Amino acid sequence: MGPAQVDIPSFVRIKPGALGRLGLYAARHERAKPALLASAGLPDPIMTAVRDGFAERGIAFALEREVEDPSFAVAADLLAELPAGCDSVFGVGGGRALDVAKYVASLAGAPYYSVPTSLSNDGFCAPQSSLALQGRRKSLPCRMPFAVVVDTAVCSDAPEVLWWSGVGDLIAKLTAVQDWKLAYHERGEAVDDLAALLSTSTVYQFIARPHRDAESLQVMATALMISGVAMAICGSSRPASGAEHLISHALDRSSKRPRYHGLQVGVAAYLTSRLHGGGHTATIARLFDDTRFWDGIRAEPFSRDEWLEATRAASQSQCDRFTILQHRDCVGDVEAMIDSDPRLAGCFT
Amino acid sequence: MGPAQVDIPSFVRIKPGALGRLGLYAARHERAKPALLASAGLPDPIMTAVRDGFAERGIAFALEREVEDPSFAVAADLLAELPAGCDSVFGVGGGRALDVAKYVASLAGAPYYSVPTSLSNDGFCAPQSSLALQGRRKSLPCRMPFAVVVDTAVCSDAPEVLWWSGVGDLIAKLTAVQDWKLAYHERGEAVDDLAALLSTSTVYQFIARPHRDAESLQVMATALMISGVAMAICGSSRPASGAEHLISHALDRSSKRPRYHGLQVGVAAYLTSRLHGGGHTATIARLFDDTRFWDGIRAEPFSRDEWLEATRAASQSQCDRFTILQHRDCVGDVEAMIDSDPRLAGCFT
Amino acid sequence: MGPAQVDIPSFVRIKPGALGRLGLYAARHERAKPALLASAGLPDPIMTAVRDGFAERGIAFALEREVEDPSFAVAADLLAELPAGCDSVFGVGGGRALDVAKYVASLAGAPYYSVPTSLSNDGFCAPQSSLALQGRRKSLPCRMPFAVVVDTAVCSDAPEVLWWSGVGDLIAKLTAVQDWKLAYHERGEAVDDLAALLSTSTVYQFIARPHRDAESLQVMATALMISGVAMAICGSSRPASGAEHLISHALDRSSKRPRYHGLQVGVAAYLTSRLHGGGHTATIARLFDDTRFWDGIRAEPFSRDEWLEATRAASQSQCDRFTILQHRDCVGDVEAMIDSDPRLAGCFT
Amino acid sequence: MGPAQVDIPSFVRIKPGALGRLGLYAARHERAKPALLASAGLPDPIMTAVRDGFAERGIAFALEREVEDPSFAVAADLLAELPAGCDSVFGVGGGRALDVAKYVASLAGAPYYSVPTSLSNDGFCAPQSSLALQGRRKSLPCRMPFAVVVDTAVCSDAPEVLWWSGVGDLIAKLTAVQDWKLAYHERGEAVDDLAALLSTSTVYQFIARPHRDAESLQVMATALMISGVAMAICGSSRPASGAEHLISHALDRSSKRPRYHGLQVGVAAYLTSRLHGGGHTATIARLFDDTRFWDGIRAEPFSRDEWLEATRAASQSQCDRFTILQHRDCVGDVEAMIDSDPRLAGCFT
């Protein structure tokens, strides 16, 4: 019994201009028949930069598809479409398209290049895909990407709301680990200390300089990526997903118009940090002040009723995840916070 | 070609009281014939806590030895002494003893428990041991620990100078990665982005709260451990060792009385950050102010002449590591800094 | 760059009575919520032995399903049905059910127990599943089984035709490797020597004692299992699948009534060994004499026309596999063999 | 908990002329600074073929040494001598030199090319080296070779006695596994079924055609190599080493003039197969007849007294290996066999 082993991306580039170098990377890795799966409706310059890079190296795509619907069925269709000899899959775009592309590559056993054009959540380097399977959203295990390529210039051009979403998903590591420790104390559930420490430790570099420029986006990308590695270490999303994710998942199921994952998760993390007590509340609040995260929420406030309903539903969730919501009845507390916490003023209607 | 794999410790515990639970951990992992290799002269309460923990579980040590001299020959002797059937090696104490214990375990193919009693450097979780082989210090590859157990209460009782040493070794990640990037730009040496990002990103959580209590020691232990994982990812000490380590190694060879590794490395990191230019100098200076690192140096100042000689020697080093010292002649600059940088006042005689 | 790593089953049991001990193995591995996926129509005593073993250990199945149709869609349905917390998948029965069960386990990321009740082909320990995806049979990559459990008493009770099928699939390793070497000489396709040597070397232990008792079935199971490991080593089915498999796949697509995989493959291996020339023809012929394999064919002869058509189709196959059929036009030779090789008398109508 | 992983050589070539292609292989793998460690006194044509191959590719050796003494101390000296940047180690020659070379490469963390010039035992692809450490022979764990290159033409030119030695070490797998199963039945020691099956299954391909030509040497090399992989699977030499090895080790310690490992092991395997009873005795006897192995023994008979003493010593061995010798007092039986088994006539004096 020696050390353990964890899957990590073989190749990582996080820098301005990386998108235009995808073809170069593909050439270096001797990819001859890549498939390109991209979000529908990406800005022209992005797709042009990608295509030109491949063309310059004389590499033609064996398959090229736009992806909208993050479902298992779509992934299965794409798997069937992959031509024989296709030797790599490039996923370019937002979280939904990447979840599909990553899953298709995993099914095909092909090396996967994860190329997010915004940093709205930590899925781009996680060993699982969130896909609808027969009507229900599931977190399905899949292989780690072979490569992660983040063009920080492109990401800084993405709408600010996507960046806020990334901020929310990032800070949720703090409450996720708090819930994990609670599950240990209350239920004896084993905590993987390395995964827990890794998941939260990288958050602080971003907090120390929470800007939206290339430098801070590199830090954010690294932290989100390492969160994915932490999940791979312990074989579950525990280090990155606690009560705040249960609430967000419940909103996805019941809300009339769900918002970006990280917006929901961020506000829910703030709420659950207050339920837990302790110093994280101040840390989160300050980060949300510094990044003007609250403005993003207030621009399009959440529904108070939907959130209370979601909190209730999350508390009764049948999944195996024990959190503060399973520990005690929190709905009344959440209601009081929504109604009276000055920081949340304007965030709910 | 899928994701890469990296060795990580299978078992990590970083918390107060962990030392007294070693026997419990051993019992859980079904170790029946462990060997205990400990630093000579550890305080009685430490060794008593360890021994009692094993005795309570009914586990007797198959071999128990004190280790002083970090040499290959000592490791070979211990390997020969290990009884047949010995199923694990526990290394307890300071960096030198742990380097030997880790190497013995690696040679024997036995799972290794790394139990530092101070956090004076990042060796406790690195895939290499620094040992004297036929008179020369070498970094020899070895297996990752099976387990890392850090008792933060014990570490906070360690002399402050050992903590300062850890601070110095930790902050050196910033300049090490700067040197790596320089080698890329000047020589085309490949940088492993994941290793580089991982190595530096965890430093900031400590910088944000650089105290000497259990909480901050947990953060420091995590950051030093992750630095070891970064080395495992890229298969070299590059992400943790640049010009500042070359200078420290040169001091180890030529100085009349070498100081703790991290004290030398920390001051050298400050100097090389100034040679590089850029924002790290301010970061390092502030950390050294916050932790009173400078006081540790001034209590026993370095020799100005030895440092200039060491800088010269490091610049002419025949090893493959390209740093700012290989890039241009820096001896004059270093001399000027030592003589006139107000922060270094009192640090050299 | 060190040694490579290959996935192998963690747990292997090949012996009489193993089926009744499945529950015991599950208990030892601490499986609390297993799923049971079994071939439709297995003899009662087999299912009873399995169920009793689990019941004795107090383990209830979280899901229990019969599987008939080896398709991706069926696997997706089962994946959706797997209850939360399901911690293992047991596949019991014939090749088709096992291909589905193995794939479901792989999609779910759950440890998979492969429990063949006959040895009709080498799929039970191969890192791929043969499934229909949108109407076309595909070899889809999947994870190696966690466990392989072969009850040789049960397998020796399976119909003789299934054993003959195993004999045919086993001997096809010889011609598959011959085709691989041909592809190297004609096309420069890299041969993985270890995979090639491993695949064929274990065949000879069976040839030396080709009986249908527990001892020989253990040898056959081992050889088929190691063929799966050889595929894992080189990441393709090359060491186990050449022209003889192309012909069999073509028959599966066009024949009115396809026969067992190994029956088709065995006869095709005999034919392609003659196309290649060399000593394998005599080896195969003797094995088929010793095992009365020919009788199995003659009991229900193949269609001469279908085979010629399949040979033609296999020769024009668009897949990347270069074999003797791609090397030269073999249809005339095959026709002559079918018509005049005395060993094939009665095998075709 | 998924499949396990086992180390295997990344690169395998077993064919006539492979020695002259070493330089070509090195060039393909981009080795720029290899070390060459070769047996002392290899025939000139062998060393010339090796050197010419590297010279043709413009690759100079960073270090070149002859190795005679298989000791840990010699390996340590060579480790110290390895120049910085040495990127690979090539071991060429007999078992002793290869054990040293493999160990040096493992200590250095450098990829190792194992190039045996005879097949006298299975050490060339085993994850351990047999070295003298402070006066005692030990089996020390080390890394699997990166590459195994066997020139079957060179091996067929090696003295016949070395081939006989390989025959003896190969057939010992049968008795080693018998002893393992005995330890299971008598002591409950876990048997790794995959390792056990793998170790013995490949022996039969050689038995089926036990010649000394290139084809049979390829088969023998494969079987010996797979025996090494079997050891890697279970993490011990159990699948390849039982009572017959205990006797041989005892002879190595006490005999006036120890013979080749495989000669001792082969005769001891014959004896222990008789102690066990069962069909292996006939198999071994026939193989030894077919290969004229007995002639090799009779040319230089063993000492009856030394063997009885060795059997006694092996029976009292303090190591953890339980075999037929630990099971019951066998010395009388062995004495009777030596004195009266007609096959052993002339093998002892």
Side-chain angles (χ1 to χ4, degrees):
Chain A
M1 211 161 41
Q5 290 194 309
V6 64
D7 283 353
I8 54 170
S10 290
F11 180 81
V12 171
R13 284 293 178 279
I14 306 182
K15 64 176 185 184
L19 208 77
R21 298 168 70 83
L22 271 186
L24 170 64
Y25 304 148
R28 274 194 205 147
H29 303 151
E30 301 182 12
R31 310 301 179 196
K33 294 185 71 176
L36 176 63
L37 307 181
S39 286
L42 283 177
D44 277 351
I46 287 180
M47 292 312 291
T48 303
V50 170
R51 286 207 189 88
D52 287 359
F54 280 85
E56 275 167 33
R57 304 285 155 176
I59 304 174
F61 292 112
L63 181 76
E64 200 179 328
R65 288 287 178 277
E66 287 198 340
V67 179
E68 278 185 274
D69 180 25
S71 76
F72 184 90
V74 165
D77 287 350
L78 288 166
L79 175 66
E81 273 198 278
L82 279 190
C86 170
D87 61 5
S88 48
V89 174
F90 288 74
V92 177
R96 286 154 183 251
L98 294 199
D99 266 2
V100 171
K102 182 168 59 175
Y103 202 69
V104 171
S106 186
L107 290 178
Y112 171 60
Y113 290 70
S114 179
V115 190
T117 54
S118 65
L119 295 176
S120 57
N121 64 62
D122 63 6
F124 64 86
C125 185
Q128 51 202 218
S129 279
S130 177
L131 298 175
L133 173 59
Q134 303 189 338
R136 282 187 62 86
R137 204 75 180 273
K138 287 222 177 188
S139 246
L140 297 171
C142 65
R143 288 206 309 171
M144 263 280 160
F146 165 79
V148 171
V149 178
V150 181
D151 189 324
T152 45
V154 165
C155 290
S156 69
D157 284 346
E160 192 165 21
V161 67
L162 294 175
W163 180 69
W164 283 324
S165 180
V167 170
D169 205 31
L170 184 61
I171 203 66
K173 314 305 169 205
L174 301 187
T175 46
V177 169
Q178 243 175 337
D179 276 321
W180 202 1
K181 287 180 181 169
L182 181 72
Y184 168 72
H185 287 296
E186 296 296 323
R187 291 285 178 98
E189 183 185 329
V191 171
D192 186 309
D193 279 27
L194 180 58
L197 292 165
L198 197 55
S199 188
T200 54
S201 64
T202 53
V203 172
Y204 292 88
Q205 186 179 12
F206 180 73
I207 291 178
R209 194 177 170 288
H211 302 169
R212 203 172 142 226
D213 55 15
E215 185 184 333
S216 283
L217 281 163
Q218 189 191 49
V219 169
M220 184 192 268
T222 303
L224 292 170
M225 184 170 62
I226 288 172
S227 159
V229 173
M231 292 186 226
I233 287 175
C234 63
S236 94
S237 60
R238 257 296 186 189
S241 164
E244 75 295 327
H245 272 74
L246 293 184
I247 293 174
S248 177
H249 294 329
L251 284 169
D252 287 341
R253 279 193 296 272
S254 64
S255 172
K256 269 186 215 147
R257 200 170 49 79
R259 308 295 158 76
Y260 284 110
H261 174 76
L263 298 187
Q264 296 180 163
V265 156
V267 170
Y270 175 75
L271 293 170
T272 58
S273 79
R274 284 201 53 197
L275 292 172
H276 277 288
H280 288 336
T281 302
T283 304
I284 297 175
R286 195 172 53 243
L287 176 68
F288 286 0
D289 290 346
D290 289 349
T291 57
R292 300 188 306 107
F293 176 90
W294 303 117
D295 294 358
I297 305 301
R298 287 182 193 118
E300 209 171 8
F302 293 121
S303 153
R304 178 185 181 280
D305 291 349
E306 284 183 0
W307 273 67
L308 293 180
E309 178 50 36
T311 306
R312 208 168 286 120
S315 304
Q316 291 154 7
S317 160
Q318 293 303 312
C319 85
D320 287 341
R321 191 138 302 178
F322 184 87
T323 73
I324 188 79
L325 299 177
Q326 278 67 42
H327 181 49
R328 60 181 176 83
D329 184 351
C330 303
V331 181
D333 285 356
V334 168
E335 186 169 10
M337 292 178 204
I338 290 180
D339 291 342
S340 61
D341 186 320
R343 287 202 186 91
L344 297 175
C347 292
F348 290 86
T349 61
Chain B
M1 208 160 46
Q5 290 194 310
V6 64
D7 283 352
I8 55 170
S10 291
F11 180 82
V12 172
R13 283 293 178 280
I14 307 182
K15 64 176 185 183
L19 208 77
R21 297 167 71 83
L22 272 185
L24 170 64
Y25 304 148
R28 275 195 203 145
H29 303 152
E30 301 183 11
R31 309 302 180 196
K33 292 184 72 176
L36 175 63
L37 306 181
S39 287
L42 283 177
D44 278 352
I46 287 180
M47 291 311 292
T48 302
V50 171
R51 286 206 189 91
D52 286 359
F54 281 85
E56 274 168 33
R57 303 285 154 179
I59 303 174
F61 292 112
L63 181 76
E64 199 178 327
R65 287 287 178 277
E66 288 200 338
V67 178
E68 277 185 274
D69 180 25
S71 75
F72 185 89
V74 165
D77 287 349
L78 288 167
L79 175 66
E81 272 198 279
L82 279 189
C86 170
D87 61 5
S88 49
V89 174
F90 288 75
V92 177
R96 288 155 180 247
L98 294 199
D99 266 3
V100 171
K102 182 168 61 176
Y103 201 69
V104 171
S106 187
L107 289 178
Y112 172 60
Y113 290 71
S114 180
V115 190
T117 53
S118 65
L119 295 176
S120 56
N121 65 62
D122 64 6
F124 65 86
C125 185
Q128 51 201 219
S129 280
S130 178
L131 297 176
L133 174 59
Q134 304 187 339
R136 282 188 62 84
R137 204 77 181 269
K138 288 223 176 188
S139 247
L140 297 171
C142 64
R143 290 206 307 171
M144 265 279 163
F146 165 78
V148 171
V149 178
V150 181
D151 188 325
T152 45
V154 165
C155 290
S156 70
D157 284 345
E160 192 165 21
V161 68
L162 294 176
W163 180 67
W164 283 324
S165 180
V167 170
D169 204 32
L170 185 62
I171 203 66
K173 315 303 169 206
L174 301 187
T175 47
V177 169
Q178 243 175 338
D179 277 320
W180 202 1
K181 288 180 180 169
L182 182 73
Y184 169 71
H185 288 297
E186 295 296 325
R187 291 284 178 96
E189 184 186 328
V191 171
D192 185 308
D193 280 27
L194 179 58
L197 292 165
L198 197 54
S199 187
T200 54
S201 64
T202 53
V203 173
Y204 292 88
Q205 185 179 12
F206 179 73
I207 291 177
R209 193 177 171 288
H211 302 169
R212 203 173 141 227
D213 55 15
E215 184 183 334
S216 283
L217 282 163
Q218 188 190 51
V219 169
M220 185 192 268
T222 303
L224 293 170
M225 184 170 62
I226 287 172
S227 158
V229 172
M231 293 186 226
I233 287 175
C234 64
S236 93
S237 59
R238 256 296 187 191
S241 163
E244 75 296 327
H245 272 73
L246 293 185
I247 292 174
S248 176
H249 293 329
L251 283 170
D252 286 340
R253 278 193 296 274
S254 63
S255 172
K256 269 186 217 148
R257 201 169 50 81
R259 306 294 157 78
Y260 284 110
H261 175 75
L263 297 187
Q264 297 180 165
V265 157
V267 169
Y270 175 75
L271 293 171
T272 58
S273 80
R274 285 201 52 197
L275 293 172
H276 276 289
H280 287 336
T281 302
T283 304
I284 297 174
R286 196 172 53 244
L287 177 66
F288 286 180
D289 291 345
D290 290 349
T291 57
R292 300 189 308 106
F293 176 90
W294 303 117
D295 294 357
I297 305 301
R298 285 179 196 123
E300 210 170 8
F302 293 120
S303 152
R304 178 187 182 278
D305 291 350
E306 284 182 1
W307 274 67
L308 293 180
E309 179 49 36
T311 305
R312 208 168 286 120
S315 304
Q316 290 154 6
S317 161
Q318 292 304 313
C319 84
D320 287 341
R321 191 140 300 179
F322 184 87
T323 73
I324 188 80
L325 299 178
Q326 278 67 40
H327 181 48
R328 60 180 175 84
D329 184 351
C330 302
V331 181
D333 284 358
V334 168
E335 186 169 10
M337 292 176 203
I338 288 180
D339 290 343
S340 60
D341 186 319
R343 286 201 188 92
L344 296 175
C347 292
F348 291 86
T349 60
Chain C
M1 209 159 45
Q5 289 194 311
V6 65
D7 284 353
I8 55 170
S10 291
F11 180 80
V12 172
R13 283 293 178 279
I14 307 182
K15 64 176 184 183
L19 208 78
R21 298 167 70 83
L22 272 185
L24 170 65
Y25 304 148
R28 276 196 203 144
H29 303 152
E30 301 183 9
R31 309 302 180 197
K33 292 185 72 177
L36 175 64
L37 307 180
S39 286
L42 282 178
D44 279 351
I46 287 181
M47 292 311 292
T48 303
V50 170
R51 287 205 190 91
D52 286 358
F54 280 85
E56 274 167 33
R57 303 285 154 178
I59 304 173
F61 292 112
L63 182 76
E64 199 179 329
R65 287 288 177 275
E66 288 200 338
V67 179
E68 278 185 274
D69 180 24
S71 76
F72 184 90
V74 165
D77 288 349
L78 288 166
L79 175 66
E81 273 197 278
L82 279 190
C86 170
D87 61 5
S88 48
V89 174
F90 289 74
V92 177
R96 286 153 182 248
L98 294 200
D99 265 4
V100 171
K102 182 168 60 176
Y103 201 70
V104 171
S106 187
L107 289 177
Y112 172 59
Y113 291 70
S114 179
V115 190
T117 53
S118 65
L119 296 175
S120 56
N121 64 62
D122 63 7
F124 64 87
C125 185
Q128 51 201 220
S129 279
S130 178
L131 297 175
L133 174 59
Q134 303 187 337
R136 284 188 59 85
R137 203 77 181 271
K138 288 223 176 187
S139 245
L140 297 170
C142 64
R143 289 206 309 170
M144 264 281 162
F146 165 78
V148 171
V149 178
V150 181
D151 189 324
T152 44
V154 165
C155 290
S156 69
D157 284 345
E160 192 165 21
V161 68
L162 294 175
W163 181 68
W164 283 324
S165 180
V167 170
D169 204 32
L170 184 62
I171 203 66
K173 315 305 170 204
L174 301 187
T175 47
V177 170
Q178 243 175 339
D179 276 320
W180 202 1
K181 288 180 181 169
L182 182 73
Y184 169 71
H185 287 297
E186 295 296 324
R187 291 284 178 97
E189 183 186 329
V191 171
D192 185 309
D193 280 27
L194 180 58
L197 291 165
L198 197 54
S199 187
T200 54
S201 64
T202 53
V203 172
Y204 291 88
Q205 186 180 11
F206 179 73
I207 291 178
R209 194 178 170 287
H211 302 168
R212 205 175 139 223
D213 55 16
E215 185 183 334
S216 283
L217 282 163
Q218 188 190 49
V219 168
M220 186 192 268
T222 303
L224 292 170
M225 183 171 63
I226 288 172
S227 159
V229 173
M231 293 186 225
I233 287 176
C234 64
S236 93
S237 59
R238 256 295 186 190
S241 163
E244 77 294 328
H245 272 73
L246 294 184
I247 292 174
S248 176
H249 294 330
L251 284 169
D252 287 341
R253 280 193 296 273
S254 64
S255 171
K256 270 187 216 146
R257 199 169 50 80
R259 307 294 156 79
Y260 283 111
H261 175 76
L263 297 187
Q264 296 180 163
V265 157
V267 170
Y270 175 76
L271 292 170
T272 58
S273 79
R274 285 201 53 196
L275 293 171
H276 277 288
H280 287 335
T281 303
T283 304
I284 298 174
R286 198 173 50 245
L287 176 67
F288 286 0
D289 290 346
D290 289 349
T291 57
R292 300 188 307 108
F293 177 90
W294 303 117
D295 294 357
I297 306 301
R298 285 181 194 120
E300 210 172 6
F302 294 120
S303 152
R304 179 185 181 279
D305 291 350
E306 284 183 1
W307 273 67
L308 293 181
E309 179 50 37
T311 305
R312 209 169 285 120
S315 304
Q316 291 154 5
S317 161
Q318 292 304 313
C319 84
D320 287 340
R321 191 137 302 177
F322 184 87
T323 72
I324 188 79
L325 299 177
Q326 278 66 41
H327 181 48
R328 60 181 176 82
D329 184 350
C330 301
V331 181
D333 285 357
V334 168
E335 185 169 9
M337 291 177 206
I338 289 180
D339 291 343
S340 60
D341 185 321
R343 286 202 187 93
L344 297 175
C347 293
F348 291 86
T349 59
Chain D
M1 210 162 41
Q5 289 194 310
V6 65
D7 284 353
I8 54 170
S10 289
F11 180 80
V12 171
R13 283 293 179 280
I14 305 182
K15 64 176 184 183
L19 208 77
R21 298 167 71 84
L22 272 185
L24 170 64
Y25 304 147
R28 276 196 204 144
H29 303 151
E30 301 183 12
R31 308 302 179 197
K33 293 186 72 175
L36 175 63
L37 306 181
S39 286
L42 283 176
D44 277 352
I46 287 180
M47 293 310 293
T48 303
V50 171
R51 287 206 189 89
D52 286 359
F54 280 86
E56 273 168 34
R57 303 286 155 177
I59 304 173
F61 293 112
L63 181 76
E64 199 179 328
R65 288 287 177 276
E66 288 199 339
V67 179
E68 278 185 273
D69 180 25
S71 76
F72 184 90
V74 166
D77 288 349
L78 288 166
L79 176 66
E81 273 197 277
L82 279 189
C86 170
D87 62 5
S88 48
V89 174
F90 288 74
V92 177
R96 287 154 181 247
L98 294 199
D99 265 3
V100 171
K102 182 169 59 175
Y103 202 70
V104 170
S106 187
L107 290 177
Y112 171 60
Y113 291 70
S114 180
V115 190
T117 54
S118 65
L119 295 175
S120 55
N121 65 62
D122 64 6
F124 65 87
C125 185
Q128 52 202 219
S129 279
S130 177
L131 297 175
L133 173 60
Q134 302 187 339
R136 283 187 61 84
R137 204 77 182 271
K138 288 222 177 187
S139 245
L140 298 170
C142 64
R143 289 206 309 171
M144 264 280 163
F146 165 78
V148 171
V149 178
V150 181
D151 189 325
T152 45
V154 165
C155 290
S156 70
D157 284 345
E160 192 164 21
V161 67
L162 294 176
W163 181 67
W164 283 324
S165 180
V167 169
D169 205 31
L170 185 61
I171 204 66
K173 314 305 169 206
L174 302 187
T175 46
V177 170
Q178 242 175 339
D179 276 320
W180 202 1
K181 288 180 180 168
L182 181 72
Y184 169 71
H185 287 297
E186 296 295 324
R187 292 283 179 97
E189 183 186 329
V191 171
D192 185 309
D193 280 27
L194 180 58
L197 292 165
L198 197 55
S199 187
T200 54
S201 64
T202 53
V203 172
Y204 291 88
Q205 186 179 12
F206 179 73
I207 291 178
R209 194 179 170 287
H211 301 169
R212 203 172 141 225
D213 56 15
E215 185 183 335
S216 283
L217 282 163
Q218 190 191 49
V219 169
M220 185 192 267
T222 304
L224 292 170
M225 184 170 63
I226 289 173
S227 159
V229 173
M231 292 186 226
I233 288 176
C234 63
S236 94
S237 59
R238 256 297 187 190
S241 163
E244 76 295 328
H245 272 75
L246 293 185
I247 293 174
S248 176
H249 294 330
L251 283 170
D252 287 341
R253 279 193 296 272
S254 64
S255 172
K256 269 186 217 149
R257 200 170 48 80
R259 307 293 157 75
Y260 283 110
H261 175 75
L263 297 187
Q264 296 180 164
V265 156
V267 169
Y270 175 75
L271 292 170
T272 57
S273 79
R274 283 201 53 196
L275 292 172
H276 277 289
H280 287 336
T281 302
T283 305
I284 297 175
R286 196 172 53 245
L287 176 67
F288 285 1
D289 290 345
D290 289 350
T291 56
R292 300 188 306 109
F293 177 89
W294 302 116
D295 294 359
I297 305 301
R298 284 181 195 121
E300 210 171 5
F302 294 121
S303 153
R304 178 185 181 278
D305 291 350
E306 284 182 1
W307 274 66
L308 293 181
E309 178 49 37
T311 305
R312 208 167 285 122
S315 304
Q316 291 154 5
S317 161
Q318 293 303 312
C319 85
D320 287 342
R321 191 137 302 177
F322 184 86
T323 72
I324 188 79
L325 299 178
Q326 278 68 40
H327 181 49
R328 61 180 175 84
D329 184 350
C330 302
V331 181
D333 284 359
V334 168
E335 186 169 10
M337 292 176 204
I338 289 181
D339 291 342
S340 60
D341 186 320
R343 285 199 188 95
L344 297 175
C347 292
F348 291 86
T349 60

